[in-house]
């Protein structure tokens, strides 16, 4: 169906990295009649965000795949983006929906579907550091903490192209039109933004 209806997809990949580090040493100076405690705190954080737009035509991908059968093989990687994102399951579920419109002239949004996949990776070290216990000194204790949080998001919109329902010749290249796929992507991003704003509004009440 993806080839028959000339499906195109627009994606927005958002990579967000938050690095945080801190030092919080504590000292205790014990004496026979009293003890003197000293504490300090130093922290620093940095957040980097990167966005990239991606567009694909199912017919063009199939044409490239016929020329290079290794195109669909995922390379062995060891990154934050490695793993199964579940896109195949999402697409299969959308195409198997009973109300999925099979013709593109029924409505403006006929056959379109979209979604968002979030994947988060957290690495952290908490309460690390030595403690020395002497006659008149105890410290600095578990003073160091480091963390890195990768909160990445893949937003996507699928829509049929202008050549939906027409015969497909993989030997002929053409210029895809991603306007409908981009509109589907915009809608899912706006809906997700509205959900986040409602959550913030409910928390501030």
């Amino acid at each position: 169906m993806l080839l028959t209806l000339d499906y195109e997809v627009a994606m927005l990949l958002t990579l967000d990295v938050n690095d945080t580090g801190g030092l919080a040493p504590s000292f205790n100076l014990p004496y026979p009649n009293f003890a003197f405690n000293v504490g300090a705190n130093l922290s620093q954080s940095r957040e980097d965000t990167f966005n990239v737009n991606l567009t694909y035509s199912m017919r063009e991908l199939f044409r490239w795949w016929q020329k290079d059968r290794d195109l669909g093989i995922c390379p062995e990687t060891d990154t934050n983006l490695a793993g199964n994102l579940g896109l195949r399951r999402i697409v299969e579920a959308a195409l198997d929906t009973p109300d999925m419109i099979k013709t593109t002239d029924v409505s403006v949004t006929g056959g379109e579907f979209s979604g968002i996949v979030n994947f988060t990776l957290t690495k952290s070290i908490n309460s690390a550091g030595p403690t020395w216990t002497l006659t008149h000194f105890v410290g600095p204790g578990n003073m160091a903490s480091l963390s890195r949080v990768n909160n990445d998001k893949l937003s996507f919109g699928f829509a049929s192209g202008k050549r939906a329902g027409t015969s497909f010749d993989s030997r002929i290249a053409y210029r895809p039109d991603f306007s409908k796929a981009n509109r589907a992507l915009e809608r899912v991003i706006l809906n997700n933004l509205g959900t986040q704003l409602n959550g913030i509004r409910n928390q501030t009440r």
Side-chain angles (χ1 to χ4, degrees):
M1 184 183 294
L2 292 177
L3 293 177
T4 303
L5 294 181
D6 187 27
Y7 263 94
E8 298 166 346
V9 56
M11 298 182 174
L12 174 62
L13 178 62
T14 301
L15 307 179
D16 185 89
V17 181
N18 193 322
D19 292 315
T20 303
L23 292 174
S26 60
F27 305 95
N28 180 272
L29 305 176
Y31 289 93
N33 296 324
F34 74 99
F36 186 74
N37 298 310
V38 179
N41 184 44
L42 174 65
S43 63
Q44 183 177 6
S45 64
R46 184 190 67 188
E47 184 173 2
D48 299 323
T49 301
F50 174 75
N51 296 313
V52 58
N53 287 95
L54 306 169
T55 52
Y56 299 99
S57 165
M58 297 299 107
R59 290 190 173 185
E60 285 296 285
L61 287 178
F62 182 75
R63 188 172 66 85
W64 297 339
W65 176 78
Q66 286 189 317
K67 295 180 179 180
D68 181 9
R69 293 302 176 100
D70 293 335
L71 179 66
I73 300 176
C74 295
E76 293 292 335
T77 57
D78 185 17
T79 68
N80 298 329
L81 302 180
N84 184 5
L85 300 180
L87 288 180
R88 180 174 180 175
R89 176 183 55 80
I90 294 173
V91 173
E92 290 176 347
L95 296 180
D96 289 339
T97 302
D99 294 334
M100 173 63 68
I101 299 175
K102 301 296 179 61
T103 57
T104 58
D105 57 350
V106 176
S107 67
V108 178
T109 60
E112 296 180 7
F113 59 94
S114 56
I116 294 178
V117 178
N118 291 287
F119 37 107
T120 304
L121 177 64
T122 302
K123 301 177 182 178
S124 63
I125 299 176
N126 297 319
S127 301
T131 299
W132 289 281
T133 302
L134 306 176
T135 303
H136 297 295
F137 175 82
V138 178
N142 300 327
M143 62 176 180
S145 62
L146 297 172
S147 69
R148 164 168 285 195
V149 179
N150 295 82
N151 190 5
D152 305 325
K153 178 188 298 184
L154 180 64
S155 308
F156 58 88
F158 281 78
S160 55
K162 291 183 176 181
R163 292 173 174 79
T166 62
S167 60
F168 170 52
D169 188 346
S170 61
R171 297 170 298 178
I172 302 176
Y174 69 97
R175 185 184 298 276
D177 176 21
F178 297 103
S179 58
K180 292 176 64 177
N182 282 318
R183 286 198 299 269
L185 175 62
E186 291 173 359
R187 281 195 294 271
V188 72
I189 292 176
L190 290 176
N191 290 338
N192 183 64
L193 180 59
T195 301
Q196 294 179 357
L197 292 176
N198 287 333
I200 295 174
R201 188 181 299 112
N202 293 332
Q203 290 178 356
T204 56
R205 289 180 179 175

